[in-house]
Amino acid sequence: MADLDQKERIAAGSGPEEPSGPPALGLVGWLRWMWRQLTSMKTALVLLFLLALGAVPGSLIPQTPIDPIKVSDFLAAHPKLGPLYDKLGLFDVYKSAWFSAIYLLLFISLIGCVVPRLGVYLKALRARPPKPPRNLNRLPGYERFEVDQSAEAADDVLVAATRELRRRRFRVQAYDGAVAAERGYLREAGNLLFHFSLILALIGVAWGSLFGYRGTVLVVVGNGFSNSVAQYDDFTPGRAFSGDDDLPPFSLTVKDFQAKFQQDGPQRGAARDFKAQLSYQETPDSPEKSYELKVNHPLRVDGSDVFLLGHGYAPRVTVKDGKGNVAFSGPAPFLPQDTNFSSFGVIKAPDARPLTLGFEGFFLPTAVIGQQGPVSMFPDDLNPALVMTGYYGRPQPETGKPESVYQLDKTKLTQFTKDGDKWRFQLAPGQSVALPDKAGSITFDGYSRWVKLQISHSPGANLALAGILLAILGLMGSLFVHPRRTWVRVREQDGRTVVEVAGLDRGPERGLGDEIQAVTARLKPAGSNTEEQS
């Protein structure tokens, strides 16, 4: 009847019925398809590669949580490229939206990929080694030999095979006239451990980014620091950080700082050692303790780590205004600009009267007069000098806006001149110079060292480290454990009792033939013939 209807349609000119297309997936079908794509191993590998690729800018571009000063310098040096980087989140890569999206997708992909595999692995772990195939001689490793035609001889071979395979750490299962053995279950366990360890490491990193914090502070030798948000130069809290209540109440004082540099040779001026002597208290009521802070040897206080990041010089100056009053007195940290620690800085005296005063220039630890003027020829303080210029202006009302202590706003200031030229001066420790037009004076009292400290709290660091170590362990298991199946079968053939020994590697073949020969040698009686096919 169906053929008749088809013929009638053709006769009517309507042609055969066109085959219908595939059914529409629908919303549930599309969601299921997207989930399968996301949780595939291929997608997990792509996301892992993207995560590693996305971390590259964090190593090449200065990051705001680590060094905001370098970020400011980058923005000033690249007025077009800097704002673009800022919009893309490249100055804080690890908290950018795109990096977080990759991170979250990888986390979901790994869970969706590994959890089903765990069930499959547990099922395979409980399964018995499979029965021997019909044609063992087709396997890569194969040998056979004959034994006496007696039930006792056949049973003895199977018992010996069971003993030998168990000695070789196979899991053995006896069948009728055969023995099946399998080993290498830890290979898949290593794969699963590797992927679960990645999940553990991701959880550790996420835990640290939520409940941790990191900040930096510059401390002049002789000064102290209390662990409160207001005392940090820059502070990056975790998303779940709630304020000073989450900070441990420790305090520290930098007692001394020592630096050693290479004195001669091709590496003259290279840093050899620098360390800071600290005294600290874990709480305001706890006893004071001492610690020698070095690079890669942080001080650990109540779950927080104090790292030594850098060091420099802070000239101590006294500025007097035109009325003879002290407008500024104390150390002013200068920032190193090169390997010889030519350090740039500013000194501000906004309270000077009748004119406000400001200075900018260089501190040179080993000053030498070169063709381009005074320069530093060595990072240590062998011949310190202060080379600066000054500015003056009318007093301005306080605006309350924060200002950088390393930059001088010269928009409303005028540079001092003398004899028609811009006024500059060079001072050695203990020397003073009067400002032009009796605007005051400046004295170079001496200099101190400063250290830059990073205080961080990473509660998930140990969890992430455990994940990485377990991942290495799992990777070693997946690389060095070789799954293998071996069978020993006794059967009658043409009136003879034949023993077959065969093996199969579930992966690259590594020493399979040698092991089959060794097992055969332990099983066959003396004087029996062995046939091999591989």
Side-chain angles (χ1 to χ4, degrees):
M1 184 64 69
D3 294 338
L4 183 59
D5 293 339
Q6 182 77 1
K7 291 178 181 179
E8 290 177 353
R9 283 193 296 270
I10 295 175
S14 60
E17 183 180 1
E18 296 183 358
S20 60
L25 289 178
L27 178 60
V28 177
W30 277 109
L31 291 176
R32 185 181 293 112
W33 180 84
M34 293 173 62
W35 174 255
R36 288 176 179 174
Q37 296 300 315
L38 178 61
T39 56
S40 66
M41 182 58 67
K42 181 179 179 180
T43 302
L45 292 175
V46 171
L47 290 173
L48 189 61
F49 172 75
L50 291 177
L51 190 71
L53 189 64
V56 172
S59 302
L60 301 179
I61 300 173
Q63 299 293 291
T64 301
I66 298 176
D67 200 335
I69 297 175
K70 285 188 178 180
V71 174
S72 300
D73 294 341
F74 188 94
L75 290 170
H78 304 85
K80 293 183 178 180
L81 190 61
L84 177 62
Y85 281 8
D86 192 24
K87 290 181 180 179
L88 295 175
L90 297 182
F91 293 123
D92 195 357
V93 168
Y94 306 109
K95 287 190 176 181
S96 62
W98 57 269
F99 191 86
S100 300
I102 298 174
Y103 184 92
L104 182 61
L105 287 175
L106 177 61
F107 187 80
I108 296 174
S109 178
L110 286 174
I111 293 178
C113 176
V114 174
V115 171
R117 288 180 61 186
L118 178 61
V120 174
Y121 173 70
L122 293 177
K123 183 178 179 180
L125 196 63
R126 294 191 299 267
R128 300 187 301 172
K131 294 181 179 181
R134 177 177 300 178
N135 298 310
L136 289 177
N137 57 345
R138 295 181 180 179
L139 297 181
Y142 175 78
E143 290 201 7
R144 53 180 286 176
F145 60 91
E146 297 179 6
V147 295
D148 295 338
Q149 295 182 357
S150 63
E152 292 80 4
D155 292 340
D156 291 343
V157 169
L158 295 178
V159 171
T162 301
R163 187 186 308 112
E164 177 64 18
L165 291 173
R166 285 177 175 169
R167 188 181 69 84
R168 293 177 178 270
R169 298 182 180 179
F170 281 87
R171 190 170 65 175
V172 180
Q173 177 66 39
Y175 293 99
D176 186 19
V179 170
E182 187 174 9
R183 72 180 180 194
Y185 293 92
L186 290 180
R187 181 184 181 90
E188 181 62 16
N191 287 329
L192 292 172
L193 178 62
F194 174 77
H195 291 91
F196 273 114
S197 299
L198 291 181
I199 297 174
L200 188 65
L202 291 176
I203 293 175
V205 174
W207 185 266
S209 64
L210 283 174
F211 299 98
Y213 66 86
R214 178 172 54 194
T216 59
V217 59
L218 187 150
V219 183
V220 178
V221 172
N223 293 351
F225 166 79
S226 296
N227 192 28
S228 63
V229 175
Q231 294 217 1
Y232 282 94
D233 295 336
D234 61 88
F235 186 78
T236 305
R239 299 182 185 275
F241 183 83
S242 60
D244 281 339
D245 292 339
D246 288 345
L247 294 175
F250 70 87
S251 60
L252 59 86
T253 301
V254 182
K255 296 291 187 180
D256 189 22
F257 178 81
Q258 298 175 356
K260 293 182 180 179
F261 302 92
Q262 182 72 30
Q263 299 290 332
D264 50 20
Q267 294 187 344
R268 183 177 184 271
R272 290 293 173 249
D273 183 38
F274 48 92
K275 54 189 176 182
Q277 302 294 334
L278 306 181
S279 63
Y280 69 96
Q281 291 178 282
E282 296 183 4
T283 63
D285 299 328
S286 63
E288 187 176 278
K289 300 178 182 178
S290 299
Y291 188 80
E292 185 176 80
L293 186 65
K294 293 184 177 181
V295 176
N296 297 326
H297 291 80
L299 167 66
R300 187 164 185 82
V301 184
D302 196 12
S304 297
D305 294 314
V306 182
F307 294 90
L308 178 61
L309 293 185
H311 62 98
Y313 294 93
R316 298 193 307 273
V317 299
T318 299
V319 178
K320 294 184 179 181
D321 60 17
K323 296 182 179 182
N325 298 321
V326 176
F328 176 85
S329 180
F334 280 37
L335 301 180
Q337 305 297 307
D338 56 31
T339 56
N340 287 324
F341 275 67
S342 299
S343 304
F344 177 82
V346 301
I347 299 170
K348 301 179 183 181
D351 296 329
R353 295 294 182 270
L355 299 173
T356 61
L357 302 174
F359 305 87
E360 70 175 10
F362 287 88
F363 173 81
L364 307 174
T366 303
V368 176
I369 304 298
Q371 295 181 353
Q372 298 180 352
V375 295
S376 178
M377 298 300 294
F378 194 73
D380 213 352
D381 51 348
L382 304 181
N383 184 31
L386 191 63
V387 181
M388 306 194 78
T389 186
Y391 298 83
Y392 66 93
R394 293 182 178 180
Q396 301 294 324
E398 295 287 346
T399 62
K401 295 182 179 180
E403 295 183 1
S404 171
V405 297
Y406 305 109
Q407 295 178 350
L408 184 64
D409 184 5
K410 300 187 286 288
T411 55
K412 296 181 180 181
L413 296 177
T414 304
Q415 189 173 9
F416 281 111
T417 59
K418 188 174 184 180
D419 300 330
D421 295 330
K422 295 179 179 179
W423 179 67
R424 296 180 177 86
F425 62 91
Q426 178 175 338
L427 298 176
Q431 293 181 343
S432 300
V433 64
L435 307 182
D437 303 326
K438 297 182 180 180
S441 65
I442 180 172
T443 302
F444 182 19
D445 299 319
Y447 56 93
S448 300
R449 302 267 193 169
W450 58 258
V451 296
K452 187 175 183 180
L453 305 177
Q454 176 181 289
I455 296 93
S456 61
H457 175 58
S458 303
N462 292 334
L463 192 63
L465 178 60
I468 293 173
L469 294 178
L470 289 175
I472 295 175
L473 182 63
L475 186 62
M476 292 176 61
S478 63
L479 291 177
F480 299 111
V481 176
H482 311 298
R484 176 171 294 175
R485 288 175 176 173
T486 303
W487 294 275
V488 178
R489 181 169 60 192
V490 180
R491 62 188 179 91
E492 298 294 330
Q493 182 178 2
D494 300 330
R496 298 175 300 169
T497 302
V498 177
V499 178
E500 295 178 295
V501 182
L504 176 65
D505 275 341
R506 299 173 62 188
E509 185 176 320
R510 300 181 182 180
L512 175 63
D514 294 338
E515 184 168 53
I516 295 300
Q517 291 179 2
V519 172
T520 304
R522 295 294 297 267
L523 299 182
K524 69 179 181 178
S528 61
N529 297 324
T530 301
E531 302 178 16
E532 178 182 355
Q533 180 178 345
S534 61

